Amino acid sequence: DRTPLVMLTRSAPTDPQSAALLREFIDREITDRLAALLDTPDAMLRAGMVNVQILGLAVARYIVRIEPIASASVDELAGMFGPVVQHCLTGQR
């Protein structure tokens, strides 16, 4: 169920408490976990770039409902989105 995360993402731009909760969630569930898996001095930056991609996708799909992103299958999105995320994690800068 994505409803609480969607609600938090919607309210974050105008509510400082929601923004703080969203940041804490992203740091705990994504940034810290990804950075721990990377053996590179810029691991936090790379994990942060993944966050940017995921948050943008979530906003486009679940909040603004931009087509065809909103109606695309998870497999379609993963197939196209996966290489972008992989590049953020391991690609050359």
Side-chain angles (χ1 to χ4, degrees):
D1 185 17
R2 296 176 188 90
T3 303
L5 186 56
V6 170
M7 290 174 56
L8 198 58
T9 303
R10 277 189 184 133
S11 61
T14 59
D15 179 43
Q17 186 176 8
S18 294
L21 288 171
L22 183 59
R23 269 192 310 275
E24 289 170 16
F25 174 81
I26 289 170
D27 285 345
R28 181 183 66 246
E29 298 299 324
I30 304 170
T31 307
D32 294 344
R33 290 179 183 199
L34 282 177
L37 296 172
L38 299 175
D39 185 25
T40 179
D42 62 350
M44 292 297 284
L45 177 60
R46 289 178 180 274
M49 292 303 296
V50 171
N51 291 337
V52 169
Q53 302 300 318
I54 292 172
L55 190 56
L57 180 62
V59 168
R61 183 171 171 92
Y62 299 111
I63 296 173
V64 183
R65 303 216 30 93
I66 296 171
E67 290 297 345
I69 303 301
S71 61
S73 73
V74 172
D75 288 340
E76 285 177 293
L77 293 175
M80 296 187 83
F81 197 68
V84 173
V85 170
Q86 187 68 40
H87 179 75
C88 289
L89 294 174
T90 61
Q92 298 294 321
R93 292 192 315 152

